[in-house]
């Protein structure tokens, strides 16, 4: 049924980490954060300009052959379009002078342009006596010559900008394949004193995913070997792995189908988190196998462990069910995936293991070795005191960090490339955005111009800088006409200049002529303005339809909101779990069962504080997993007989070992999760040993 | 922006790279220098004269401080003059790849005097610039810029090392 529902919807995997916290209604924020996802910057560094130019040309030639598109425009075509409409084009500075009737300053500027030793005019003086057109064009941008060499700290640089085709950019696998080729070019050209640096999102993604892939493979192999080792060591047989793998496979499949049926796409982090379900569901299987001795049938074993399994399932479901009522889609997906998966594994164990055990010999042959650890009272006391000290002292130092970028730490090499690129290119780190919406493109341009007036001296980029609105073009034409009529100076008459502003078509946006402006459109009638060093966001509200975005701050705020929501859910989760356990095991026992989980969460938080690791959203999310795992340990220990405690130990060891390996990985998000889960599970297990001794 | 557009790589270079390299080797490497300059702009028999101080800073470019008839400073940092500054810098630092990509070069040398003529290759530059001629010995002595719309500019330098 679930599969049917899932297959009715096309299932896609969402890889954008921001999707975890940014709601769909905030699509502007997502669009803005994805603006640079297909762009690659190349920086060529050398001791001499010649070697830099030569290498840059070679790189360009090879890059274009490998599907990188140079971000370029047809200068001739654009200039001709501008020429036709020049009657309505004025630089902002000149327009302001003309509005003030400061014709004297306008003329002074013209004379300066004429005497400028390196200056030139784009039109005949007769056509443009005040050089207003040349002034307009020269003021359009930063006049970056793509061939020009930049001198910085006694070295020479050239910057090349490229972007991948959208089809490639949308496919992570394809993008990585292409980036790999570009890195090969980079390496082949970085020689004889010339260094080629690559920066940009696709490069970071490539290195991060390549490294993660290697690490995941290694972790997968080591974890599998560890589980095999444990099974061989304890059960003296490996074939019990067959039903374990079967139950996990069915659980994961059911979880996947349920999530796919309920959500339009599944986030990749849902898979990451939900695979930890494997750790929880293995508990059910292990409990069956440790109790399945020769003298018991499968049905006997199920009867024996049914209460433990059911209570364990119920508590885990309750913990994850609370996540479903959060306002974050990722948490909802994790809840659906995990709950469905766990229920499936539970049913698989309860319904099929007795049958399977009749067909295959799954008896526990190891009746000698027991892993029933128990601390001596003094040691137990010392451990408790130490954990309490760490927890209490650490909680004072707990800090939070909601900057999503702190979750990813690039390699030193990449960080160096980014830093040197920012220095040479003069990239302003304080970039913010204004998204402008209107009924049509003209209204968008007019609103952009209203925003631009509010910006004062703030530097910015926007479509309206290149394509003034028709309203502004009419106004400019009138200003220019007035200048021409009132200032027919001897200079202009000597040059036989016309006193009439040239007629011509309005300048309007056309995708083919201005392909480089396409990126400024976020939608049909929605545009983007890029602001540099702007610190008065409140004034943007004066323009209706204009909305200010500081992507980094906005996302941090969303992450913060999500973290706080998540943390707040922990309290009702514990209350709900306690209530459930109190009904099943009596209130006093319920405290002993739930205390290891609660203390493990507090201890982990305290340890993070003591180690000066800032608490983030993913740490808080990991707390739910700690509850899910550790409650099982307590419930099984409380309910179970001696044999079951071996299962708890084995289950804990396999999970802790896997998470420990994750803690050693390079991707900070995963490693911080691994660290928290290792600490949390280990401490909860130790606490369960202390609080639920074997005499129970 | 359009200055950027003006210098985009649309035309295919057909000059001899070896030639550009050989030419660059014959031009002395230009060092930091301070000079005075006189400038004559000519267009349709109208002549505009100006003059002032000039500085060449290695790796950066040129700064013109016009003293008469008006006072103004035009530096390498100005976006309006970046393009011509890039050419001078390329000659000074012997960036023959850049020169060869953008210009057809012709070079003559007599004793320690040399002359380099740069004719733009790219259509978008050709529409505005006919040629740039640079005369020099140890330093640059003269720059002659022949434009399509703004007439000719001749700049003479009188230099003494810093």
């Amino acid at each position: 049924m679930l599969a049917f529902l899932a297959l009715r919807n096309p299932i896609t995997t969402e890889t954008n980490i921001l999707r975890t916290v940014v709601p769909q209604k905030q699509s502007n924020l997502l669009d803005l954060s994805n603006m640079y996802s297909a762009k690659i910057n190349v920086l060529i560094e050398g001791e001499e300009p010649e070697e830099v130019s030569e290498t840059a040309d070679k790189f360009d030639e090879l890059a274009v052959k490998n599907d990188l598109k140079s971000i370029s425009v047809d200068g001739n075509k654009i200039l001709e379009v501008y020429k036709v409409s020049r009657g309505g084009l004025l630089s902002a500075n000149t327009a302001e002078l003309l509005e003030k009737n400061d014709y004297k300053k306008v003329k002074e500027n013209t004379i300066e342009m004429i005497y400028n030793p390196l200056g030139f005019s784009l039109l005949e003086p007769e056509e443009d006596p005040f050089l207003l057109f040349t002034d307009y064009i020269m003021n359009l941008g930063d006049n970056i010559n793509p061939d020009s060499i930049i001198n910085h700290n006694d070295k020479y640089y050239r910057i090349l900008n490229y972007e991948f085709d959208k089809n490639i950019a949308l496919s992570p696998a394809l993008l990585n394949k292409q980036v790999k080729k570009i890195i090969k070019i980079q390496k082949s050209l970085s020689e004889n004193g010339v260094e080629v640096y690559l920066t940009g999102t696709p490069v970071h993604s490539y290195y991060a995913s390549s490294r993660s892939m290697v690490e995941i493979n290694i972790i997968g192999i080591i974890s599998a070997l560890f589980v095999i080792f444990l099974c061989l060591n304890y059960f003296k047989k490996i074939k019990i792995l067959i039903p374990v793998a079967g139950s996990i496979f069915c659980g994961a499949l059911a979880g996947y189908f349920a999530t796919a049926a309920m959500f339009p796409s599944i986030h990749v982090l849902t898979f990451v988190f939900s695979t930890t379900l494997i750790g929880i569901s293995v508990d059910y299987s292990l409990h069956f196998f440790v109790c399945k001795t020769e003298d018991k049938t499968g049905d006997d074993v199920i009867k024996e462990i049914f209460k433990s399994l059911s209570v364990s399932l119920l508590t885990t479901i309750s913990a994850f069910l609370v996540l479903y009522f959060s306002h974050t889609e990722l948490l909802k997906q994790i809840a659906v995936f995990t709950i469905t998966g766990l229920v499936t594994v539970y049913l698989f164990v309860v319904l099929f293991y007795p049958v399977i055990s009749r067909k295959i010999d799954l008896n526990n042959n190891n009746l000698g070795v027991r892993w029933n650890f128990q601390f001596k009272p003094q040691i137990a006391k010392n451990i408790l005191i130490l954990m309490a000290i760490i927890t209490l002292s650490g909680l004072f130092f707990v800090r939070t960090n909601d900057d999503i970028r702190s979750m990813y730490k690039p390699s030193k090499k990449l960080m160096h490339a980014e830093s040197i690129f920012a220095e040479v290119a003069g990239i302003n780190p304080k970039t913010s955005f204004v998204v402008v919406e209107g009924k049509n493109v003209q209204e968008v341009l007019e609103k952009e111009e209203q925003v631009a007036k509010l910006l004062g001296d703030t530097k910015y980029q926007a479509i309206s800088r290149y394509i003034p609105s028709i309203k502004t073009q009419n106004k400019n034409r009138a200003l220019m006409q007035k200048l021409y009529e009132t200032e027919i100076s001897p200079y202009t008459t000597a040059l036989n200049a016309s006193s009439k502003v040239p007629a011509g078509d309005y300048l309007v946006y056309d995708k083919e002529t201005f392909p480089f402006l396409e990126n400024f459109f976020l939608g049909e009638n929605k545009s983007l303005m890029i602001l540099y060093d702007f610190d008065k966001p409140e004034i943007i509200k004066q323009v209706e339809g204009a909305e200010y975005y500081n992507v980094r701050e906005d996302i941090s705020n969303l992450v913060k909101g999500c973290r706080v929501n998540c943390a707040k859910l922990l309290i009702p989760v514990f209350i709900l779990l306690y209530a459930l356990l109190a009904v099943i095991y009596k209130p006093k026992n319920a405290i002993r069962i739930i205390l290891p989980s609660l203390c493990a969460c507090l201890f982990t938080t305290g340890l993070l504080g003591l180690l000066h690791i800032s608490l983030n959203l993913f740490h808080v999310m990991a707390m739910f997993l700690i509850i899910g795992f550790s409650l099982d340990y307590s419930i099984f220990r409380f309910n179970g007989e001696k044999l079951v405690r071996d299962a708890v130990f084995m289950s804990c060891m396999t999970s802790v070992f896997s998470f420990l390996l994750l803690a050693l990985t390079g991707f900070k998000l995963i490693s911080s999760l691994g660290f928290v889960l290792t600490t949390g599970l280990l401490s909860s297990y130790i606490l369960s040993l202390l609080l639920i001794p074997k005499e129970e | 922006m359009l200055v950027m557009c003006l210098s985009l790589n649309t035309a295919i270079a057909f000059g001899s790279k070896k030639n550009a390299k050989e030419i660059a080797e014959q031009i002395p490497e230009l060092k930091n220098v301070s000079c005075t300059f006189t400038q004559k702009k000519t267009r349709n028999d109208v002549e505009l004269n100006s003059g002032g101080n000039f500085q060449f800073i290695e790796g950066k470019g040129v700064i013109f401080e016009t003293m008469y008839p008006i006072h103004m400073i035009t530096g390498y940092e100005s976006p309006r003059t970046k393009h011509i500054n890039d050419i001078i810098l390329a000659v000074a630092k012997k960036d023959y790849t850049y020169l060869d990509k953008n210009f057809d070069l012709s070079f003559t040398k007599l004793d320690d005097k040399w002359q380099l003529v740069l004719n733009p290759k790219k259509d978008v530059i050709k529409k505005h610039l006919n040629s740039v001629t640079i005369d020099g010995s140890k330093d640059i002595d003269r720059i002659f810029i022949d434009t399509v719309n703004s007439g000719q500019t001749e700049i003479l330098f009188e230099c003494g090392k810093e």
Side-chain angles (χ1 to χ4, degrees), chain A residues 50 53 57 73 75 79 114-117 121-122 124 126 135 137 139 141 143-145 147-148 151 156, chain B residues 1-5 7-8 39 41 43 59 72 74 79-80 86 93 95-97 101 122 128 149-150:
Chain A
E50 161 55 21
S53 291
D57 286 356
V73 286
L79 194 60
I114 291 168
Y115 277 105
N116 182 346
S121 169
L122 293 170
E124 295 279 344
E126 292 82 353
D135 173 59
I137 297 295
N139 277 289
N143 301 310
I144 299 159
N145 177 356
D147 289 341
S148 82
N151 179 279
Y156 293 91
Chain B
M1 180 64 208
L2 204 64
V3 173
M4 181 185 92
C5 305
S7 52
L8 288 169
Q39 176 184 269
K41 282 205 170 198
R43 188 183 178 278
M72 66 170 179
T74 310
R80 293 182 179 207
D86 281 345
K93 294 303 292 181
D95 186 355
Y96 44 84
T97 299
K101 192 171 162 186
K122 296 174 180 176
H128 305 282
N149 299 316
S150 318

Side-chain angles (χ1 to χ4, degrees), chain A residues 391-444:
Chain A
T391 305
L392 292 173
S393 55
L395 286 176
F396 285 105
F397 298 105
V398 170
R399 298 279 179 278
T400 56
N401 182 359
D402 298 306
D403 188 346
I404 204 153
R405 294 183 312 174
S406 68
M407 289 288 92
Y408 164 67
K409 194 178 171 192
S411 66
K412 278 185 186 169
K413 195 177 158 190
L414 261 182
M415 274 168 85
H416 175 64
E418 285 291 356
S419 118
I420 201 159
F421 177 75
E423 273 180 41
V424 175
I427 288 174
N428 192 325
K430 280 182 74 181
T431 302
S432 52
F433 303 92
V434 173
V435 174
V436 179
E437 277 189 82
K439 287 177 195 145
N440 48 52
V441 173
Q442 278 309 314
E443 194 179 300
V444 169

Side-chain angles (χ1 to χ4, degrees), chain A residues 488-558:
Chain A
I488 305 294
S489 67
Y491 163 70
T492 51
T493 48
L495 287 171
N496 198 23
S498 166
S499 62
K500 284 202 169 176
V501 174
D505 295 337
Y506 288 115
L507 181 66
V508 286
Y509 172 67
D510 156 33
K511 203 191 285 185
E512 279 180 22
T513 313
F514 299 98
F516 62 99
L517 293 181
E518 205 181 344
N519 287 339
F520 283 95
F521 279 105
L522 291 181
E524 202 179 339
N525 296 318
K526 195 197 285 187
S527 77
L528 162 74
M529 298 176 80
I530 305 171
L531 317 184
Y532 307 103
D533 259 334
F534 182 66
D535 52 7
K536 292 176 189 162
E538 64 284 351
I539 62 170
I540 303 298
K541 286 177 190 159
Q542 292 176 30
V543 180
E544 197 192 335
E547 203 169 346
Y548 177 82
Y549 290 92
N550 182 326
V551 175
R552 190 181 160 190
E553 270 178 26
D554 293 344
I555 289 174
S556 293
N557 285 336
L558 283 167

Side-chain angles (χ1 to χ4, degrees), chain A residues 48-51 53-54 57 60 71-76 78-80 82-83 108-109 111-127 133 135 137-152 156 158 466 495 516, chain B residues 1-10 17 29 37 39 41 43-44 48-50 58-60 62 64 66 69-72 74 79-86 88-89 93-98 101-102 122-124 127-128 145 147-150 153 155:
Chain A
E48 295 299 328
E50 161 55 21
E51 56 191 23
S53 291
E54 195 182 7
D57 286 356
D60 191 55
I71 302 172
S72 63
V73 286
D74 183 345
N76 266 336
I78 292 178
L79 194 60
E80 288 310 313
Y82 273 125
K83 271 184 191 173
E108 276 176 19
N109 289 346
I111 289 167
E112 275 193 12
M113 285 168 76
I114 291 168
Y115 277 105
N116 182 346
L118 304 181
F120 58 94
S121 169
L122 293 170
L123 293 171
E124 295 279 344
E126 292 82 353
E127 293 177 287
F133 180 65
D135 173 59
I137 297 295
M138 293 297 174
N139 277 289
L140 277 180
D142 295 329
N143 301 310
I144 299 159
N145 177 356
D147 289 341
S148 82
I149 297 285
I150 300 162
N151 179 279
H152 178 75
Y156 293 91
R158 215 177 113 186
Y466 303 96
L495 287 171
F516 62 99
Chain B
M1 180 64 208
L2 204 64
V3 173
M4 181 185 92
C5 305
L6 289 174
S7 52
L8 288 169
N9 319 339
T10 45
K17 184 162 181 192
E29 191 152 317
F37 78 92
Q39 176 184 269
K41 282 205 170 198
R43 188 183 178 278
N44 293 346
L48 299 170
N49 291 299
S50 59
E58 256 185 284
K60 300 282 184 193
V62 295
F64 285 93
T66 304
I70 55 167
H71 182 258
M72 66 170 179
T74 310
R80 293 182 179 207
T81 56
K82 184 156 179 32
H83 204 71
I84 301 279
N85 187 62
D86 281 345
I88 297 171
L89 210 54
K93 294 303 292 181
K94 303 187 176 193
D95 186 355
Y96 44 84
T97 299
Y98 174 91
K101 192 171 162 186
N102 291 284
K122 296 174 180 176
D123 288 345
V124 74
K127 282 192 174 179
H128 305 282
I145 304 166
T147 69
V148 175
N149 299 316
S150 318
T153 302
I155 309 169

Side-chain angles (χ1 to χ4, degrees), chain A residues 197-242:
Chain A
Y197 298 102
L198 296 180
T199 69
T201 311
V203 182
H204 285 268
S205 302
Y206 171 78
Y207 280 114
S209 61
S210 308
R211 191 173 166 182
S212 298
M213 198 59 83
V214 172
E215 288 175 344
I216 285 169
N217 285 337
I218 292 172
I219 287 170
I221 293 167
I222 296 176
S223 298
L225 288 175
F226 185 71
V227 172
I228 293 169
F229 166 78
L230 270 184
C231 289
L232 278 176
N233 195 270
Y234 188 88
F235 296 107
K236 313 287 182 198
K237 63 179 69 170
I238 203 161
K239 60 183 171 186
I240 62 154
L241 289 174
I242 300 165

